[in-house]
């Protein structure tokens, strides 16, 4: 269609573009040409990234031309640690508190949803929120859940720390006075020994996961519809790729069947590179051997492909990240773990490892270094540590020497206050040590770890990378351990592509690369720092297809099947609850002053904790009265 005076000029079918986007402020991420104002796409690949005049000759009678209206365009975002496969299977069954600003609002949503939920079904709030984001700064009580839903089972998961169940949910799962506590978990009990409805990860989240697994699941076409709507929700924020980190209760191949079917139908709107995670303790090596005989990393296509094993290889080697509890002391695991790593490295498999604490990372690295003496590291296999909140500089040097990489997530956006209370401001300031990682030239990709801890909204994670603040506004990391906006964006684009060996085809906007991009609601480079978290995409393109469209572009994206079942919380509330606080100028000024005071105090505590300031924590100091 002619836009802004453009008329079709390309006469030969081979030269005409399928899609042209013009009048844009394009951040290409490409050092060869960092900025552009228009681009052209054919057969899912960028053919031109340049000026208006460069794309004019590519416009033919059937070219779709989109006017970006001067908005910022970025390469499509790539979440390097997202539980997208598992999340898609249940998305339409979940009441999402992501972005909800008060517990009062969350409970009102829960009460309304309980009223429309049919008998035998549950209301489940599964991650993506923290008590610190609420005005009330607290969790819901069991009594509040009972009042909101006296007869419908309700399960509310809070991070990897705890879950709150109402009376009906306790009955549905059969928890009673004689139900034993599982290893690593606690069923909180009242005076008479009856469960209260609170479950604790102590520190393992297995009790939380296994209880949630008892809720009714979707089947058949409903699973495919749920997954497609979840992918559309991710496209809403400019995501065009994700690396699936597998996870508990995600069995291969049965739980992967839905995305495989969608890929075969050409119905994926997000590129997925997936991992395989042994599910049964004691059976891990048998699983890995069986998978090595079935499939190889790289198998698949540009939309769905295997990337390796993990994020667990053996259950005994997994540390748990409940920061409200002391970090776990793992038993001897090195022998079986080393066998698993050897098996993967000898067969050309890469892997990723869940490792929260430096204590775990050091033990893992010792295993790798022993194998390196046999020539197995570095051997060209892509491998990485996930999370690494407390990794030390020495461990980073060892990771670099062994050819490893890192994927960091914004778990401390949601767990930062608990981490600070347990480990203090000095440790929180370095969690994780982003600048130290980047200074060593390591590949450091970014992600969310959604959907059961952090929200899947990548802009919340980008805000955390840049600001160092939690979802409750607490400043944890000083400026010396934050990154600028361009670096944060690169961690969500090029670095993620490097983790899957696709840096030559995606992560930047350059001719010959995949046409994966997002037109943003606001300019991520100039918007006020607190508002980074509120950015969305108005137009998301994956492989040249418009997979999400809003505002002026509404209706240009692909039609999805209606959400099923009809009582779905997503059908009534949607997913992420967007919207920023509306503050009049005076209130906004007071709010900023309060933030500045809070940040100043956090920095003082951090300096004191490191012996860099002479005043003890909690002591009053006013330089106006200093002698």
């Amino acid at each position: 269609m002619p836009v802004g005076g453009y008329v079709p000029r390309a006469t030969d079918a081979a030269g005409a573009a399928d899609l042209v986007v013009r009048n844009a402020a394009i951040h290409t991420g490409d050092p060869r040409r960092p900025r552009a104002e228009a681009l052209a796409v054919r057969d899912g690949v960028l053919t031109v990234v340049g000026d208006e005049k460069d794309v004019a000759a590519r416009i033919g009678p059937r070219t779709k031309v989109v006017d970006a209206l001067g908005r910022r365009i970025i390469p499509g975002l790539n979440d390097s640690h997202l539980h997208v496969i598992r999340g898609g299977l249940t998305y339409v069954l979940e009441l999402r508190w992501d972005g909800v600003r008060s517990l009062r609002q969350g409970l009102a949503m829960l009460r309304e949803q309980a009223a429309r939920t049919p008998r035998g079904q549950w209301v489940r709030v599964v991650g993506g929120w923290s008590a610190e984001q609420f005005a009330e700064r607290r969790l819901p009580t069991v009594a509040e859940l009972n009042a909101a839903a006296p007869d419908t089972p309700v399960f509310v998961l809070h991070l990897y720390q705890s879950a709150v169940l109402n009376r009906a949910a306790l009955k549905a799962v059969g928890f009673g006075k004689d139900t034993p506590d599982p290893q690593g978990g606690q069923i909180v009990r009242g005076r008479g020994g009856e469960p209260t409805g609170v479950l604790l990860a102590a520190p393992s989240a297995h009790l939380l996961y296994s209880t949630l697994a008892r809720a009714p699941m979707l089947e058949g076409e409903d699973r495919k519809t749920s997954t497609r709507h979840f992918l559309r929700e991710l496209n809403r924020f400019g995501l065009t790729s994700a690396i699936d980190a597998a996870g508990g209760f995600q069995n291969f191949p049965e739980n992967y069947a839905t995305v495989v079917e969608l890929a075969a139908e050409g119905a994926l709107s997000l590129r997925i590179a997936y991992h395989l995670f042994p599910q049964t303790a004691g059976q891990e090596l048998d699983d890995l051997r069986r998978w090595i005989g079935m499939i190889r990393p790289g198998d698949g296509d540009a939309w769905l492909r295997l990337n390796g094993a993990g994020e667990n290889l053996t259950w005994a080697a997994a540390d748990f990240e409940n920061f409200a509890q002391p970090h776990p002391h793992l038993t001897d695991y090195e022998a079986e773990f080393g066998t698993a790593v050897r098996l993967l490295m000898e067969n050309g498999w890469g892997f990723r490892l869940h490792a929260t604490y430096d204590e775990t990372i050091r033990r893992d690295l010792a295993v790798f270094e022993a194998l390196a003496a046999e020539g197995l590291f570095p051997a060209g296999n892509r491998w990485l540590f996930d999370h690494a909140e407390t990794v030390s500089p020495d461990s980073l040097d060892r990771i670099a020497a062994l050819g490893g990489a890192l994927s960091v997530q914004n778990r401390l956006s949601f767990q930062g206050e608990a981490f600070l209370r347990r480990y203090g401001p000095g440790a929180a300031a370095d969690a994780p040590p982003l600048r130290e990682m980047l200074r060593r030239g390591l590949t450091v990709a970014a992600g969310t770890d959604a959907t059961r801890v952090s929200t899947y909204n990548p802009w919340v994670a980008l805000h955390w990378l840049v600001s160092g603040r939690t979802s409750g506004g607490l400043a944890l990391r000083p400026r010396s351990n934050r990154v600028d906006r361009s670096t944060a964006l690169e961690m969500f684009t090029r670095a993620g592509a490097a983790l899957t060996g696709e840096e030559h085809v995606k992560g930047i906007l350059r001719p010959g690369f995949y046409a994966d991009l997002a037109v943003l609601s606001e300019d991520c480079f100039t918007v006020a720092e607190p508002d980074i978290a509120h950015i969305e995409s108005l137009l998301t393109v994956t492989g040249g297809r418009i997979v999400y469209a809003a505002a002026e572009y509404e209706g240009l994206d692909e039609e999805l099947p209606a959400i099923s079942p009809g009582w779905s919380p997503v059908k009534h509330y949607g997913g992420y609850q967007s919207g920023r606080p509306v503050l009049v100028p005076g209130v906004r000024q007071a709010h900023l002053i309060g933030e500045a005071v809070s940040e100043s105090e956090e920095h003082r505590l951090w300096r004191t904790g490191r012996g860099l300031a002479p005043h003890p924590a909690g002591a009053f100091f006013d330089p106006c009265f200093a002698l």
Side-chain angles (χ1 to χ4, degrees):
M1 61 180 183
V3 176
Y6 275 86
V7 294
R9 293 172 55 184
T11 56
D12 63 306
D18 301 319
L19 173 69
V20 162
V21 184
R22 57 170 295 273
N23 187 23
I26 302 176
H27 172 81
T28 67
D30 182 359
R32 300 180 191 174
R33 180 167 189 161
R35 292 173 293 278
E37 60 185 22
L39 55 84
V41 179
R42 183 176 175 86
D43 295 331
V45 174
L46 293 163
T47 56
V48 177
V49 179
D51 300 326
E52 298 271 350
K53 60 180 174 56
D54 298 323
V55 302
R58 301 301 180 100
I59 297 175
R62 298 183 181 178
T63 302
K64 181 177 290 185
V65 181
V66 174
D67 188 338
L69 300 174
R71 292 189 173 102
R72 174 67 67 186
I73 290 180
I74 60 169
L77 298 179
N78 185 347
D79 189 325
S80 67
H81 187 118
L82 177 64
H83 298 278
V84 59
I85 294 174
R86 186 178 67 193
L89 296 178
T90 57
Y91 172 65
V92 300
L93 296 178
E94 296 168 359
L95 178 66
R96 303 300 306 183
W97 280 357
D98 307 50
V100 173
R101 301 194 176 279
S102 73
L103 178 58
R104 180 179 180 180
Q105 179 188 348
L107 287 171
M109 295 167 66
L110 193 151
R111 186 180 302 108
E112 292 173 4
Q113 182 57 39
R116 70 172 64 94
T117 301
R119 182 177 295 276
Q121 294 290 340
W122 292 23
V123 176
R124 60 197 97 186
V125 180
V126 187
W129 64 282
S130 166
E132 305 299 334
Q133 79 190 43
F134 292 151
E136 298 89 342
R137 304 279 174 153
R138 67 173 179 86
L139 302 179
T141 65
V142 174
E144 286 171 326
L145 298 190
N146 285 332
D151 302 313
T152 304
V154 174
F155 178 98
V156 177
L157 178 69
H158 184 237
L159 309 174
Y160 287 148
Q161 295 176 191
S162 61
V164 186
L165 284 68
N166 70 346
R167 188 182 305 110
L170 284 175
K171 182 178 179 180
V173 298
F175 285 175
K177 186 176 181 178
D178 298 327
T179 304
D181 287 348
Q183 184 177 357
Q186 180 184 354
I187 302 172
V188 178
R189 304 172 193 275
R191 287 187 294 271
E194 294 290 341
T196 64
V198 176
L199 309 179
L200 298 179
S204 169
H206 185 268
L207 171 61
L208 313 182
Y209 277 13
S210 60
T211 304
L212 178 60
R214 303 190 191 193
M217 300 292 288
L218 294 169
E219 299 294 339
E221 288 298 314
D222 283 345
R223 283 190 170 202
K224 293 168 67 173
T225 298
S226 178
T227 297
R228 291 190 68 183
H229 279 276
F230 184 45
L231 300 185
R232 172 66 60 87
E233 175 75 352
L234 299 176
N235 299 149
R236 167 187 168 191
F237 297 102
L239 279 165
T240 58
S241 291
I243 309 177
D244 186 87
F249 294 87
Q250 183 171 312
N251 291 294
F252 179 80
E254 52 266 37
N255 293 133
Y256 292 70
T258 298
V259 291
V260 170
E261 289 178 26
L262 290 173
E265 297 168 6
L268 291 178
S269 61
L270 186 86
R271 304 183 193 275
I272 300 173
Y274 61 90
H275 286 76
L276 302 184
F277 181 133
Q279 295 295 307
T280 305
Q283 188 180 303
E284 299 99 318
L285 295 177
D286 290 337
D287 285 342
L288 293 173
R289 291 188 183 100
R290 185 173 69 257
W291 296 337
I292 287 170
M294 293 170 59
I295 189 171
R296 293 186 61 81
D299 282 358
D301 57 22
W303 290 92
L304 183 67
R305 64 204 304 265
L306 174 66
N307 197 50
E311 61 182 291
N312 276 2
L313 302 184
T314 62
W315 279 95
D319 59 7
F320 301 103
E321 66 287 3
N322 180 359
F323 298 128
Q325 298 274 343
H327 73 76
H329 296 284
L330 304 180
T331 59
D332 291 340
Y333 64 81
E334 281 82 353
E336 184 183 38
F337 176 73
T339 301
V341 175
R342 175 189 295 277
L343 181 65
L344 294 169
M345 296 298 286
E346 289 179 342
N347 286 277
W349 276 59
F351 59 88
R352 65 190 311 159
L353 287 173
H354 171 109
T356 302
Y357 303 101
D358 191 54
E359 291 85 347
T360 309
I361 292 171
R362 290 200 307 267
R363 291 176 65 174
D364 292 352
L365 288 170
V367 172
F368 300 163
E369 286 163 346
L371 294 173
E374 302 178 31
L376 293 179
F377 283 86
N381 301 24
R382 292 186 300 274
W383 70 272
L384 65 136
F385 281 115
D386 279 306
H387 314 311
E389 277 88 354
T390 70
V391 65
S392 66
D394 175 67
S395 292
L396 291 175
D397 290 335
R398 295 165 70 188
I399 293 168
L402 292 167
L406 293 150
S407 173
V408 298
Q409 298 78 42
N410 63 312
R411 301 193 304 182
L412 293 193
S413 288
F414 297 85
Q415 298 173 290
E417 285 81 2
F419 188 97
L420 178 66
R421 287 191 293 270
R422 179 159 297 278
Y423 298 110
D430 288 334
L434 298 176
R435 288 286 187 87
E436 289 293 320
M437 294 173 176
L438 293 167
R439 187 172 65 80
R440 287 164 171 78
L442 287 161
T443 296
V444 185
T448 62
D449 202 6
T451 61
R452 294 182 177 177
V453 176
S454 175
T455 178
Y456 49 74
N457 180 349
W459 293 101
V460 174
L462 282 153
H463 172 260
W464 172 79
L465 289 169
V466 171
S467 72
R469 292 183 181 274
T470 70
S471 61
L474 178 64
L476 291 180
R477 288 182 289 111
R479 192 169 300 279
S480 59
N481 193 29
R482 303 175 199 168
V483 299
D484 60 39
R485 302 183 191 204
S486 180
T487 301
L489 191 60
E490 185 170 345
M491 293 168 70
F492 254 101
T493 51
R494 293 187 73 177
L499 293 188
T500 57
E502 296 175 284
E503 63 271 31
H504 61 290
V505 289
K506 71 179 181 182
I508 63 175
L509 300 177
R510 176 191 291 173
F513 278 55
Y514 296 151
D516 299 350
L517 57 103
V519 180
L520 302 183
S521 59
E522 295 177 271
D523 190 337
C524 58
F525 294 105
T526 61
V527 71
E529 186 177 275
D531 292 332
I532 294 173
H534 302 293
I535 294 172
E536 297 188 17
S537 176
L538 298 181
L539 188 86
T540 303
V541 176
T542 311
R545 293 162 42 202
I546 298 176
V547 295
Y548 178 80
E552 294 89 348
Y553 312 111
E554 187 172 353
L556 293 182
D557 50 5
E558 303 162 349
E559 186 176 5
L560 293 185
I563 292 176
S564 177
W567 53 267
S568 162
V570 173
K571 183 173 183 178
H572 294 272
Y573 300 110
Y576 188 90
Q577 303 295 300
S578 61
R580 63 197 66 185
V582 179
L583 300 174
V584 297
V587 176
R588 176 62 174 163
Q589 184 182 46
H591 184 69
L592 290 173
I593 291 172
E595 285 186 349
V597 171
S598 174
E599 183 169 1
S600 176
E601 175 64 8
E602 288 301 317
H603 286 181
R604 186 186 69 77
L605 291 172
W606 180 79
R607 293 194 302 273
T608 301
R610 294 190 166 206
L612 301 177
H615 305 284
F620 176 81
F621 175 69
D622 187 339
C624 293
F625 295 94
L627 297 177

mmCIF file of all heavy atoms in Angstrom, residues 284-290 292 337-349 371 376:
data_model
loop_
_atom_site.group_PDB
_atom_site.id
_atom_site.type_symbol
_atom_site.label_atom_id
_atom_site.label_comp_id
_atom_site.label_asym_id
_atom_site.label_seq_id
_atom_site.Cartn_x
_atom_site.Cartn_y
_atom_site.Cartn_z
ATOM 1 N N GLU A 284 19.280 -40.246 35.725
ATOM 2 C CA GLU A 284 19.756 -39.165 34.863
ATOM 3 C C GLU A 284 20.671 -39.650 33.744
ATOM 4 O O GLU A 284 20.515 -39.254 32.581
ATOM 5 C CB GLU A 284 20.490 -38.101 35.697
ATOM 6 C CG GLU A 284 19.637 -37.434 36.757
ATOM 7 C CD GLU A 284 19.853 -38.038 38.128
ATOM 8 O OE1 GLU A 284 19.938 -39.296 38.202
ATOM 9 O OE2 GLU A 284 19.932 -37.291 39.117
ATOM 10 N N LEU A 285 21.631 -40.514 34.063
ATOM 11 C CA LEU A 285 22.574 -40.973 33.049
ATOM 12 C C LEU A 285 21.881 -41.815 31.981
ATOM 13 O O LEU A 285 22.201 -41.707 30.786
ATOM 14 C CB LEU A 285 23.704 -41.762 33.699
ATOM 15 C CG LEU A 285 24.624 -40.958 34.637
ATOM 16 C CD1 LEU A 285 25.643 -41.876 35.277
ATOM 17 C CD2 LEU A 285 25.306 -39.827 33.887
ATOM 18 N N ASP A 286 20.928 -42.626 32.395
ATOM 19 C CA ASP A 286 20.177 -43.417 31.417
ATOM 20 C C ASP A 286 19.397 -42.516 30.476
ATOM 21 O O ASP A 286 19.333 -42.760 29.254
ATOM 22 C CB ASP A 286 19.221 -44.367 32.138
ATOM 23 C CG ASP A 286 19.941 -45.493 32.859
ATOM 24 O OD1 ASP A 286 21.084 -45.801 32.476
ATOM 25 O OD2 ASP A 286 19.369 -46.051 33.811
ATOM 26 N N ASP A 287 18.785 -41.444 31.021
ATOM 27 C CA ASP A 287 18.055 -40.499 30.183
ATOM 28 C C ASP A 287 18.988 -39.835 29.177
ATOM 29 O O ASP A 287 18.670 -39.728 27.984
ATOM 30 C CB ASP A 287 17.382 -39.432 31.044
ATOM 31 C CG ASP A 287 16.152 -39.954 31.766
ATOM 32 O OD1 ASP A 287 15.626 -41.003 31.358
ATOM 33 O OD2 ASP A 287 15.717 -39.302 32.732
ATOM 34 N N LEU A 288 20.129 -39.366 29.655
ATOM 35 C CA LEU A 288 21.067 -38.687 28.762
ATOM 36 C C LEU A 288 21.552 -39.614 27.657
ATOM 37 O O LEU A 288 21.637 -39.215 26.484
ATOM 38 C CB LEU A 288 22.246 -38.129 29.565
ATOM 39 C CG LEU A 288 21.923 -36.979 30.536
ATOM 40 C CD1 LEU A 288 23.145 -36.641 31.374
ATOM 41 C CD2 LEU A 288 21.443 -35.743 29.776
ATOM 42 N N ARG A 289 21.858 -40.851 27.998
ATOM 43 C CA ARG A 289 22.308 -41.792 26.965
ATOM 44 C C ARG A 289 21.213 -42.040 25.930
ATOM 45 O O ARG A 289 21.488 -42.127 24.726
ATOM 46 C CB ARG A 289 22.719 -43.111 27.620
ATOM 47 C CG ARG A 289 23.991 -43.039 28.461
ATOM 48 C CD ARG A 289 24.446 -44.420 28.911
ATOM 49 N NE ARG A 289 25.614 -44.340 29.781
ATOM 50 C CZ ARG A 289 25.557 -44.417 31.117
ATOM 51 N NH1 ARG A 289 24.391 -44.599 31.717
ATOM 52 N NH2 ARG A 289 26.670 -44.321 31.829
ATOM 53 N N ARG A 290 19.980 -42.171 26.401
ATOM 54 C CA ARG A 290 18.875 -42.415 25.475
ATOM 55 C C ARG A 290 18.677 -41.219 24.539
ATOM 56 O O ARG A 290 18.509 -41.390 23.324
ATOM 57 C CB ARG A 290 17.590 -42.691 26.264
ATOM 58 C CG ARG A 290 16.417 -43.069 25.368
ATOM 59 C CD ARG A 290 15.201 -43.514 26.157
ATOM 60 N NE ARG A 290 14.581 -42.409 26.891
ATOM 61 C CZ ARG A 290 14.714 -42.206 28.202
ATOM 62 N NH1 ARG A 290 15.458 -43.032 28.933
ATOM 63 N NH2 ARG A 290 14.121 -41.189 28.787
ATOM 64 N N ILE A 292 20.897 -38.948 23.662
ATOM 65 C CA ILE A 292 22.029 -38.829 22.742
ATOM 66 C C ILE A 292 21.844 -39.740 21.533
ATOM 67 O O ILE A 292 22.255 -39.411 20.410
ATOM 68 C CB ILE A 292 23.344 -39.134 23.487
ATOM 69 C CG1 ILE A 292 23.699 -37.959 24.415
ATOM 70 C CG2 ILE A 292 24.486 -39.419 22.512
ATOM 71 C CD1 ILE A 292 24.843 -38.247 25.360
ATOM 72 N N PHE A 337 28.064 -36.627 38.517
ATOM 73 C CA PHE A 337 28.018 -35.399 37.728
ATOM 74 C C PHE A 337 29.127 -35.412 36.671
ATOM 75 O O PHE A 337 28.899 -35.077 35.501
ATOM 76 C CB PHE A 337 28.166 -34.202 38.666
ATOM 77 C CG PHE A 337 28.232 -32.869 37.982
ATOM 78 C CD1 PHE A 337 27.110 -32.308 37.409
ATOM 79 C CD2 PHE A 337 29.426 -32.174 37.917
ATOM 80 C CE1 PHE A 337 27.173 -31.067 36.781
ATOM 81 C CE2 PHE A 337 29.509 -30.940 37.295
ATOM 82 C CZ PHE A 337 28.374 -30.383 36.728
ATOM 83 N N GLY A 338 30.316 -35.812 37.066
ATOM 84 C CA GLY A 338 31.426 -35.874 36.109
ATOM 85 C C GLY A 338 31.163 -36.851 34.984
ATOM 86 O O GLY A 338 31.529 -36.604 33.825
ATOM 87 N N THR A 339 30.519 -37.980 35.307
ATOM 88 C CA THR A 339 30.168 -38.945 34.264
ATOM 89 C C THR A 339 29.198 -38.342 33.266
ATOM 90 O O THR A 339 29.324 -38.543 32.046
ATOM 91 C CB THR A 339 29.558 -40.207 34.899
ATOM 92 O OG1 THR A 339 30.499 -40.781 35.802
ATOM 93 C CG2 THR A 339 29.194 -41.232 33.832
ATOM 94 N N ALA A 340 28.224 -37.577 33.775
ATOM 95 C CA ALA A 340 27.251 -36.932 32.889
ATOM 96 C C ALA A 340 27.919 -35.910 31.980
ATOM 97 O O ALA A 340 27.651 -35.858 30.772
ATOM 98 C CB ALA A 340 26.155 -36.267 33.723
ATOM 99 N N VAL A 341 28.814 -35.094 32.548
ATOM 100 C CA VAL A 341 29.497 -34.075 31.743
ATOM 101 C C VAL A 341 30.386 -34.732 30.690
ATOM 102 O O VAL A 341 30.421 -34.317 29.526
ATOM 103 C CB VAL A 341 30.303 -33.134 32.650
ATOM 104 C CG1 VAL A 341 31.120 -32.152 31.812
ATOM 105 C CG2 VAL A 341 29.372 -32.360 33.589
ATOM 106 N N ARG A 342 31.112 -35.770 31.082
ATOM 107 C CA ARG A 342 31.957 -36.483 30.121
ATOM 108 C C ARG A 342 31.124 -37.033 28.966
ATOM 109 O O ARG A 342 31.482 -36.910 27.789
ATOM 110 C CB ARG A 342 32.711 -37.627 30.813
ATOM 111 C CG ARG A 342 33.528 -38.497 29.855
ATOM 112 C CD ARG A 342 34.078 -39.720 30.555
ATOM 113 N NE ARG A 342 35.023 -39.363 31.586
ATOM 114 C CZ ARG A 342 36.313 -39.100 31.350
ATOM 115 N NH1 ARG A 342 36.778 -39.164 30.094
ATOM 116 N NH2 ARG A 342 37.119 -38.798 32.338
ATOM 117 N N LEU A 343 29.983 -37.640 29.305
ATOM 118 C CA LEU A 343 29.103 -38.223 28.292
ATOM 119 C C LEU A 343 28.668 -37.162 27.278
ATOM 120 O O LEU A 343 28.682 -37.394 26.056
ATOM 121 C CB LEU A 343 27.889 -38.834 28.990
ATOM 122 C CG LEU A 343 26.841 -39.523 28.117
ATOM 123 C CD1 LEU A 343 27.424 -40.752 27.441
ATOM 124 C CD2 LEU A 343 25.633 -39.911 28.980
ATOM 125 N N LEU A 344 28.307 -35.998 27.771
ATOM 126 C CA LEU A 344 27.858 -34.928 26.884
ATOM 127 C C LEU A 344 29.004 -34.393 26.033
ATOM 128 O O LEU A 344 28.866 -34.230 24.814
ATOM 129 C CB LEU A 344 27.233 -33.806 27.713
ATOM 130 C CG LEU A 344 25.942 -34.167 28.451
ATOM 131 C CD1 LEU A 344 25.568 -33.075 29.442
ATOM 132 C CD2 LEU A 344 24.806 -34.383 27.462
ATOM 133 N N MET A 345 30.130 -34.121 26.651
ATOM 134 C CA MET A 345 31.241 -33.531 25.917
ATOM 135 C C MET A 345 31.777 -34.482 24.846
ATOM 136 O O MET A 345 32.146 -34.059 23.751
ATOM 137 C CB MET A 345 32.354 -33.129 26.890
ATOM 138 C CG MET A 345 31.959 -32.046 27.878
ATOM 139 S SD MET A 345 31.502 -30.470 27.089
ATOM 140 C CE MET A 345 33.118 -29.851 26.600
ATOM 141 N N GLU A 346 31.828 -35.773 25.146
ATOM 142 C CA GLU A 346 32.343 -36.737 24.169
ATOM 143 C C GLU A 346 31.401 -36.940 22.991
ATOM 144 O O GLU A 346 31.834 -37.397 21.933
ATOM 145 C CB GLU A 346 32.599 -38.077 24.857
ATOM 146 C CG GLU A 346 33.795 -38.057 25.798
ATOM 147 C CD GLU A 346 34.034 -39.383 26.494
ATOM 148 O OE1 GLU A 346 33.089 -40.221 26.521
ATOM 149 O OE2 GLU A 346 35.146 -39.582 27.014
ATOM 150 N N ASN A 347 30.133 -36.580 23.181
ATOM 151 C CA ASN A 347 29.154 -36.768 22.111
ATOM 152 C C ASN A 347 28.714 -35.455 21.465
ATOM 153 O O ASN A 347 27.714 -35.425 20.748
ATOM 154 C CB ASN A 347 27.941 -37.528 22.650
ATOM 155 C CG ASN A 347 28.225 -38.993 22.872
ATOM 156 O OD1 ASN A 347 28.160 -39.799 21.947
ATOM 157 N ND2 ASN A 347 28.574 -39.351 24.114
ATOM 158 N N GLY A 348 29.449 -34.381 21.712
ATOM 159 C CA GLY A 348 29.175 -33.116 21.034
ATOM 160 C C GLY A 348 27.962 -32.367 21.542
ATOM 161 O O GLY A 348 27.406 -31.542 20.823
ATOM 162 N N TRP A 349 27.554 -32.640 22.779
ATOM 163 C CA TRP A 349 26.404 -31.955 23.369
ATOM 164 C C TRP A 349 26.876 -30.795 24.243
ATOM 165 O O TRP A 349 27.756 -30.949 25.094
ATOM 166 C CB TRP A 349 25.601 -32.923 24.246
ATOM 167 C CG TRP A 349 24.611 -33.752 23.495
ATOM 168 C CD1 TRP A 349 24.865 -34.611 22.469
ATOM 169 C CD2 TRP A 349 23.203 -33.822 23.734
ATOM 170 N NE1 TRP A 349 23.713 -35.212 22.047
ATOM 171 C CE2 TRP A 349 22.676 -34.754 22.809
ATOM 172 C CE3 TRP A 349 22.344 -33.208 24.639
ATOM 173 C CZ2 TRP A 349 21.316 -35.056 22.755
ATOM 174 C CZ3 TRP A 349 20.998 -33.514 24.598
ATOM 175 C CH2 TRP A 349 20.487 -34.423 23.660
ATOM 176 N N LEU A 371 38.435 -32.819 33.620
ATOM 177 C CA LEU A 371 38.160 -33.277 32.259
ATOM 178 C C LEU A 371 38.975 -32.491 31.228
ATOM 179 O O LEU A 371 39.311 -33.022 30.162
ATOM 180 C CB LEU A 371 36.667 -33.157 31.968
ATOM 181 C CG LEU A 371 35.757 -34.068 32.799
ATOM 182 C CD1 LEU A 371 34.285 -33.738 32.541
ATOM 183 C CD2 LEU A 371 36.031 -35.531 32.485
ATOM 184 N N LEU A 376 38.912 -32.413 27.077
ATOM 185 C CA LEU A 376 37.465 -32.266 26.841
ATOM 186 C C LEU A 376 36.968 -30.834 27.023
ATOM 187 O O LEU A 376 35.836 -30.535 26.649
ATOM 188 C CB LEU A 376 36.695 -33.210 27.767
ATOM 189 C CG LEU A 376 36.866 -34.705 27.490
ATOM 190 C CD1 LEU A 376 36.080 -35.537 28.482
ATOM 191 C CD2 LEU A 376 36.419 -35.032 26.062
#
